[in-house]
Amino acid sequence: RSPYQITTPIYYVNDKPHIGHAYTSLACDVLARYMRLSQRDVYFLTGTDEHGQKVQTTAATKGMDPLAFCDEVSRSFRELLTLLDIDNDRFIRTTEEFHKESVRHLWNVLKDNGAIYLGSYEGWYSVRDECYYNESELIDGKAPTGAEVTWVKKEDSYFFKLSDYQQRLLDHYERHPDFIAPDSRRNEVVAFVKGGLKDLSISRTTFDWGVSVPDDEDHVMYVWIDALTNYISALGYPNTEKGSKFDTYWPAALHVVGKDILRFHAVYWPAFLMAANLPLPKRIFAHGWWTKDGEKISKSR
């Protein structure tokens, strides 16, 4: 039987965990335990996403150094796993040096392959979602998730040539109909990609809490190119030699995510991997939200 890597998203540390994090972790734990009982060699990965503007701002409002703040909140996520008796194989933090080196390596591969260029960006951005939105996506002046958006004034930025991967992504979705589940989420992603992909801004210069861009330390990487790389940095990437963890467990059998971060996992992540000539994960499953009074439960609600 082939090895089986299952992952939760790495959880954002702007505040302590809530029931949604417990739900995702428990669901993955049940699947991991079942696969182990089926004699599969399982690698169950979870962890915390610790960079970005939102973390830096939250730490500042609490009068804390960003890393000290991350240490405190990341600890609360590890304590949740202990409380729920989650049997994960690895807990990764994006502030760990090995992870940052892995991300810088991936950046250099993308740049060497012609997938990154320097330009300038202005547009709508949600700090809460750490996501760029087109004007056409806004609903009553807010992000589709209900998050506030702000206009980012023109600033230098590195871009990933996402537009080059539109047809390759659509072809992959068609050849692998089980790549995204459930079908309703798959349909949403396919419609989004068919609507046209624009190149993606992947660096910022207006804050400094993140992984610095190789050979250009005025820029820090967009939090999602940093965060998504955890799925392979935890396996020792860039070591892909035969017998390595990467060779054993990648491509991942299953990424389990909330529906609000499906775009990053089902569009951006496979495009990054395609550009780096790396295999794509086998399946991405997006679950719904826990709600209260009809609204998504979040760290602030």
Side-chain angles (χ1 to χ4, degrees):
R1 290 175 177 266
S2 60
Y4 187 91
Q5 184 192 15
I6 182 170
T7 70
T8 73
I10 50 173
Y11 301 123
Y12 208 46
V13 295
N14 62 310
D15 208 339
K16 293 181 178 180
H18 57 70
I19 191 172
H21 303 106
Y23 169 70
T24 309
S25 299
L26 283 168
C28 288
D29 188 53
V30 169
L31 286 168
R33 289 173 186 269
Y34 173 79
M35 291 298 175
R36 291 189 190 107
L37 288 171
S38 302
Q39 306 304 309
R40 300 285 288 275
D41 177 8
V42 173
Y43 193 83
F44 173 16
L45 175 66
T46 188
T48 44
D49 177 7
E50 304 184 13
H51 290 132
Q53 184 177 0
K54 185 162 54 175
V55 170
Q56 183 170 337
T57 300
T58 305
T61 61
K62 295 179 179 293
M64 297 180 69
D65 170 80
L67 183 57
F69 173 74
C70 290
D71 288 343
E72 180 179 294
V73 182
S74 181
R75 187 181 308 115
S76 71
F77 280 90
R78 292 194 300 275
E79 289 170 350
L80 174 67
L81 298 179
T82 301
L83 177 67
L84 298 176
D85 196 27
I86 302 293
D87 189 18
N88 57 296
D89 295 284
R90 179 70 181 272
F91 187 97
I92 189 171
R93 299 180 59 186
T94 57
T95 48
E96 294 177 273
E97 193 58 39
F98 82 89
H99 169 78
K100 291 187 281 186
E101 288 303 315
S102 181
V103 175
R104 292 189 186 103
H105 180 88
L106 179 62
W107 179 284
N108 284 332
V109 170
L110 296 176
K111 189 173 182 182
D112 290 346
N113 289 350
I116 291 177
Y117 65 92
L118 182 62
S120 60
Y121 175 81
E122 63 178 351
W124 295 108
Y125 187 75
S126 165
V127 175
R128 192 187 84 180
D129 295 347
E130 298 285 8
C131 185
Y132 302 96
Y133 290 106
N134 298 324
E135 183 86 34
S136 60
E137 294 181 274
L138 302 185
I139 301 172
D140 296 329
K142 293 184 178 182
T145 60
E148 299 290 337
V149 294
T150 56
W151 182 261
V152 175
K153 295 180 180 179
K154 195 168 186 177
E155 65 176 83
D156 288 344
S157 176
Y158 285 94
F159 284 79
F160 173 75
K161 293 182 180 179
L162 185 63
S163 58
D164 285 357
Y165 295 89
Q166 178 172 334
Q167 192 57 50
R168 285 185 63 181
L169 287 167
L170 291 172
D171 291 345
H172 185 79
Y173 303 151
E174 185 173 352
R175 288 195 306 269
H176 304 277
D178 292 334
F179 180 64
I180 303 167
D183 287 344
S184 58
R185 303 296 168 218
R186 179 183 183 277
N187 294 339
E188 289 173 7
V189 170
V190 171
F192 173 76
V193 175
K194 282 184 174 179
L197 295 179
K198 295 181 178 180
D199 290 351
L200 179 67
S201 172
I202 55 170
S203 76
R204 299 292 301 275
T205 59
T206 52
F207 63 93
D208 59 8
W209 183 242
V211 180
S212 59
V213 168
D215 303 318
D216 194 346
E217 293 194 353
D218 290 339
H219 291 253
V220 294
M221 295 183 202
Y222 176 43
V223 66
W224 277 102
I225 195 169
D226 168 11
L228 290 163
T229 306
N230 95 91
Y231 299 127
I232 56 177
S233 69
L235 299 176
Y237 178 82
N239 179 12
T240 61
E241 295 178 0
K242 188 170 180 60
S244 66
K245 276 193 170 68
F246 182 94
D247 176 62
T248 301
Y249 295 106
W250 193 260
L254 180 63
H255 291 327
V256 178
V257 302
K259 65 178 183 178
D260 52 328
I261 58 172
L262 180 58
R263 178 189 305 185
F264 308 106
H265 286 79
V267 181
Y268 301 166
W269 181 224
F272 295 156
L273 293 169
M274 287 175 176
N277 297 316
L278 293 171
L280 273 57
K282 295 177 182 176
R283 197 174 205 206
I284 302 163
F285 185 91
H287 62 70
W289 294 333
W290 285 79
T291 61
K292 180 182 179 184
D293 301 327
E295 294 185 22
K296 177 191 174 187
I297 292 177
S298 66
K299 298 186 185 82
S300 60
R301 181 177 171 80

